[in-house]
Amino acid sequence: REHLLPPLLQIAEEGVYTARQSLLRVIVVIIRYIASTDLQSEVVHELGLTWGQSDVFWKRSSYIEAVFVASQTFSRERFRVLFSNLGVDFYRSLTTNDLKSEDLEDVICDVES
């Protein structure tokens, strides 16, 4: 499963908005089904570094949406383990130009409690 990630991320990076969002949903599901929790953590961390901390607005926005999809895909505990550190820190550092969704705000507040 994890071998599909590099080409899917490449296609997502080169694709238009709707294709990118669909592919990131698929990527989150693929991450969900990676058997090794260490590999899951490594993949999520890399996604956060390359997309979440990108200088490109649409990559950061796509990462935010992927984190929201992950909050609906993973168990609450697994979501906390995988996404809380990088996802919460990233969400807090968003500029006014970045997307801040009320739904994601609820997820972040839930993770912190």
Side-chain angles (χ1 to χ4, degrees):
R1 292 181 185 110
E2 60 273 7
H3 301 294
L4 294 172
L5 294 174
L8 289 177
L9 285 167
Q10 179 74 29
I11 294 168
E13 190 167 344
E14 296 172 1
V16 296
Y17 174 79
T18 53
R20 185 168 45 250
Q21 295 318 108
S22 295
L23 284 165
L24 284 170
R25 288 178 187 276
V26 169
I27 288 166
V28 167
V29 171
I30 289 172
I31 293 169
R32 162 71 175 82
Y33 288 102
I34 293 174
S36 165
T37 56
D38 290 338
L39 185 54
Q40 275 184 340
S41 296
E42 183 180 319
V43 169
V44 168
H45 182 73
E46 184 65 27
L47 184 65
L49 292 177
T50 57
W51 285 69
Q53 295 181 357
S54 173
D55 291 335
V56 182
F57 169 77
W58 60 262
K59 274 188 159 183
R60 292 190 314 269
S61 295
S62 295
Y63 177 74
I64 293 168
E65 293 181 32
V67 170
F68 181 70
V69 169
S71 75
Q72 298 173 327
T73 304
F74 289 88
S75 69
R76 181 177 176 177
E77 184 58 35
R78 194 70 194 136
F79 177 78
R80 281 183 185 197
V81 169
L82 290 174
F83 291 91
S84 65
N85 291 338
L86 194 55
V88 171
D89 291 344
F90 172 70
Y91 187 77
R92 285 195 183 122
S93 71
L94 293 177
T95 66
T96 55
N97 293 334
D98 288 321
L99 171 70
K100 277 200 172 186
S101 145
E102 286 183 24
D103 291 333
L104 191 54
E105 181 74 34
D106 292 341
V107 169
I108 298 301
C109 289
D110 188 43
V111 166
E112 292 180 318
S113 59

